[in-house]
Every structure is written in structure tokens, then in C-alpha cells.
Amino acid sequence: MIPIYPDERQFLKRIQNEEHLTAMSKGIIIGDKVIVEEGPMCGLEALIKKIDRHHRIAEIESEIFGRKARMRVGLEIIRKIK
């Protein structure tokens, strides 16, 4: 059994709803930076490692259960600014 530490629990609570699903977030791309404006990913831009704009999916990386883990979450890019 692997314990869930308080910071891990807070992270999971922040990005999931009661049904353990993550709602879609919305953001913009400015240059090579992603700014999340709405949704559970708001404020977690530094965790985003890869974006698939066509499928509206972002891969995020966070330390959980004592190791780095990648998760796929919904992220719609509503505009891109160069």
C-alpha cells in the first residue's frame, strides 16, 4: 500500500470533481508559454509538458506517490498570440 500525502491529496482534489474526473480547462498560448485562464488547470501552467491542440489534450507532470507521473487532461487552446 502506498500512502497519499497531504500535498498529493490536495493536488488530486484540485483537478478532479466528485466523480474523479477532470473538467476541461481553457487557455491561450503566448509565444512558447501556455496560460490557463479557466478550469482546474488554472495556475498549474508549469506542469504542462505537451499539448495536442487537435485532440484538446495536455500532458501534465507532477510528483505523486513519491515519483513523477504524467497525466492526460483536457485543455482547449482558445487562441494563440505570437
Side-chain angles (χ1 to χ4, degrees):
M1 183 178 276
I2 299 172
I4 297 178
Y5 295 102
D7 57 335
E8 296 170 340
R9 185 182 316 273
Q10 284 301 106
F11 174 76
L12 292 173
K13 277 185 163 182
R14 178 176 178 176
I15 67 168
Q16 295 179 351
N17 63 19
E18 301 80 34
E19 298 165 345
H20 304 289
L21 300 173
T22 302
M24 180 73 75
S25 292
K26 293 182 180 182
I28 61 174
I29 295 177
I30 301 175
D32 61 350
K33 205 175 203 187
V34 178
I35 308 294
V36 180
E37 297 181 323
E38 292 179 36
M41 293 299 299
C42 194
L44 300 177
E45 292 88 356
L47 300 177
I48 297 172
K49 298 299 178 187
K50 183 179 176 183
I51 297 174
D52 181 340
R53 292 180 66 193
H54 179 70
H55 291 104
R56 300 184 315 166
I57 294 172
E59 276 191 29
I60 62 171
E61 186 175 82
S62 179
E63 189 167 318
I64 190 161
F65 304 119
R67 62 179 179 85
K68 287 192 178 192
R70 284 205 176 203
M71 296 168 258
R72 294 167 48 109
V73 296
L75 177 64
E76 180 178 1
I77 300 299
I78 52 178
R79 72 180 180 274
K80 184 175 181 177
I81 301 171
K82 293 187 178 198

